[in-house]
Amino acid sequence: MAKKYDVIVIGAGPGGMTAALYASRANLSVLMLDRGVYGGQMNNTAEVENYPGYKSILGPDLGQKMYDGATQFGAEYAYGNVISVQNHGATKLVKTDEDEFEAKAIVIATGAEHKKLGVPGEEAYSGRGVSYCAVCDGAFFKDRELAVIGGGDSAIEEGLYLTQMAKKVTVIHRRDQLRAQQIIQKRAFANDKMHFVWNAQVQEIQGDDMKVTGVKYRDKETGEEHVLPVAGVFIYVGIMPMTEPFQDLGILDDHGWIPTDDHMRTKVPGIFAIGDVRAKDLRQITTAVGEGGTAGQGVFNYIQSLNDTNIEVKA
C-alpha cells in the first residue's frame, strides 16, 4: 500500500525545502523525496555570498540550516529516486525504484544539471576554479584572467558579466563563429576585456594541488596544442532539466522544461513546479526559495479547494 501524504515535494534543494516548510507550517503532512543528500547543489558550493542575511556562508551549512527549518513543523525527508508520477485526479501516485507514495498535491523541485565537457580536470577542480555559474562565483576572481567555454547566449552573457570583475575573459569556442544572438555578440566584441579563441577543442583543465591554473586545447585546423593560463574556467555547453520522470504528465515544453503560471502551477491541477526545473532565466538560491514559498502556499490553497468541493458534494 502506498503511504499517503497531503503533499510530496520531489527534490530537497533550497526551493523544495522552502515549499516543505510553508506546507508543513500550514498543518499539511509533507514528504520530501530526493535521490541524494538534502541541500542539492548547495552541497557543492564552497561559499555563498549572495543569500540575504549572510555576508558569506558555506553552501553545506546553508543547506543544513534550511533543512532544520524545513522539518521543524513535521515535514519528513526520505531518500527516493523517483521514476514516475501518475495523475489520478484528486490524488497523485509517486513511484520510486523502491516504494510508492500517494499525495493530493505534488511539488516538482528536481532542478537541472549542466552538461559536462567530460575532459580530465573538470570534476577534480569543480568548486576550485571550475564553475558553471558566473553570478555565483564570479566575485571570487576579481582582477584574474578567466576562460569561458561555449559560444551560445549563456556563455557570452556570462562572459560579459565576468568582465565586471575579471582582468581578462577568453571565450574558447569549438566553431569559427558564435551562436549567441547578434546583439549579445556585438556587446562582446565591443568589450576590451573579451577575447576569443576559435576552432578550439578543450582537452584538459589543468591545475595544481589546490586550484585551476590553465586550459589545454587543440586547434582543430592546425592540430597544434596550446595552454591558456587562467585562474578559473566557466563552462556553458548546455543545461538539461531533470524532468524524465514527468514526461507522461503533459506538463513539459518542447525542450523538457516545465512552464508554470505565477503561482507555480503547471497544466495539471495539483502539480506545481519550482526552481531550476522551470522555464526561466535566472537560476539562483534566492529565486528558488521565493518560488518554494509561493508553491507551499499554493498547495495549501489547492487542497483547501478539494476539501471545499467534498463538503459541497456531501451537503
Side-chain angles (χ1 to χ4, degrees):
M1 292 292 290
K3 190 173 181 181
K4 298 181 179 181
Y5 292 87
D6 290 321
V7 186
I8 293 177
V9 180
I10 305 173
M17 290 192 287
T18 304
L21 167 63
Y22 271 69
S24 60
R25 191 170 182 269
N27 205 31
L28 300 177
S29 58
V30 180
L31 173 67
M32 286 186 289
L33 285 173
D34 201 296
R35 66 178 186 176
V37 179
Y38 54 82
Q41 295 183 27
M42 290 188 292
N43 292 313
N44 301 319
T45 305
E47 274 189 277
V48 177
E49 292 187 319
N50 56 356
Y51 190 77
Y54 297 97
K55 184 176 180 180
S56 177
I57 184 171
L58 297 177
D61 289 350
L62 182 57
Q64 184 63 54
K65 290 179 181 296
M66 286 188 178
Y67 176 79
D68 293 341
T71 55
Q72 65 179 313
F73 298 108
E76 300 176 22
Y77 167 80
Y79 169 82
N81 183 30
V82 175
I83 56 176
S84 70
V85 174
Q86 298 176 7
N87 177 30
H88 295 159
T91 61
K92 326 294 178 188
L93 184 66
V94 178
K95 292 186 177 182
T96 72
D97 46 14
E98 294 183 358
D99 299 295
E100 293 186 358
F101 304 92
E102 187 178 273
K104 299 173 184 176
I106 301 292
V107 178
I108 299 172
T110 46
E113 58 184 359
H114 291 273
K115 292 182 180 178
K116 304 295 193 298
L117 288 174
V119 299
E122 182 176 15
E123 292 294 336
Y125 293 104
S126 180
R128 294 192 292 158
V130 172
S131 175
Y132 304 87
C133 179
V135 176
C136 307
D137 301 324
F140 297 112
F141 297 94
K142 187 176 181 180
D143 297 326
R144 309 297 296 277
E145 295 192 10
L146 305 174
V148 169
I149 314 300
D153 288 352
S154 294
I156 306 309
E157 287 178 334
E158 299 293 89
L160 285 166
Y161 177 84
L162 289 169
T163 61
Q164 298 178 80
M165 289 78 73
K167 178 181 179 181
K168 177 181 177 181
V169 176
T170 300
V171 176
I172 301 176
H173 189 38
R174 61 182 179 176
R175 298 187 175 93
D176 60 359
Q177 59 183 349
L178 300 175
R179 293 180 291 108
Q181 298 176 56
Q182 286 298 316
I183 188 170
I184 301 174
Q185 291 191 39
K186 288 180 180 179
R187 292 171 186 160
F189 293 141
N191 192 312
D192 293 338
K193 288 187 177 182
M194 293 282 281
H195 301 261
F196 299 87
V197 175
W198 307 105
N199 295 310
Q201 186 70 45
V202 175
Q203 294 184 301
E204 181 184 2
I205 297 173
Q206 300 180 340
D208 54 26
D209 292 339
M210 298 296 295
K211 61 187 183 303
V212 165
T213 59
V215 178
K216 180 180 179 182
Y217 65 90
R218 180 178 64 85
D219 188 310
K220 294 169 65 178
E221 292 185 338
T222 67
E224 295 180 349
E225 294 183 347
H226 305 272
V227 175
L228 176 70
V230 291
V233 181
F234 289 77
I235 300 171
Y236 300 99
V237 292
I239 185 171
M240 301 179 298
M242 300 174 69
T243 53
E244 186 176 351
F246 318 117
Q247 292 181 354
D248 296 332
L249 291 172
I251 61 174
L252 310 185
D253 67 14
D254 293 339
H255 302 286
W257 302 99
I258 304 180
T260 73
D261 63 13
D262 291 342
H263 301 283
M264 306 300 127
R265 296 177 297 203
T266 69
K267 294 179 180 178
V268 176
I271 297 182
F272 299 73
I274 60 174
D276 291 1
V277 77
R278 292 181 63 235
K280 63 176 187 174
D281 294 325
L282 187 61
R283 293 179 168 87
Q284 294 283 286
I285 298 174
T286 49
T287 58
V289 166
E291 293 164 14
T294 300
Q297 182 63 35
V299 295
F300 172 77
N301 294 335
Y302 171 75
I303 291 173
Q304 285 294 104
S305 71
L306 293 179
N307 294 337
D308 292 343
T309 300
N310 290 335
I311 291 172
E312 291 174 5
V313 170
K314 290 178 181 179

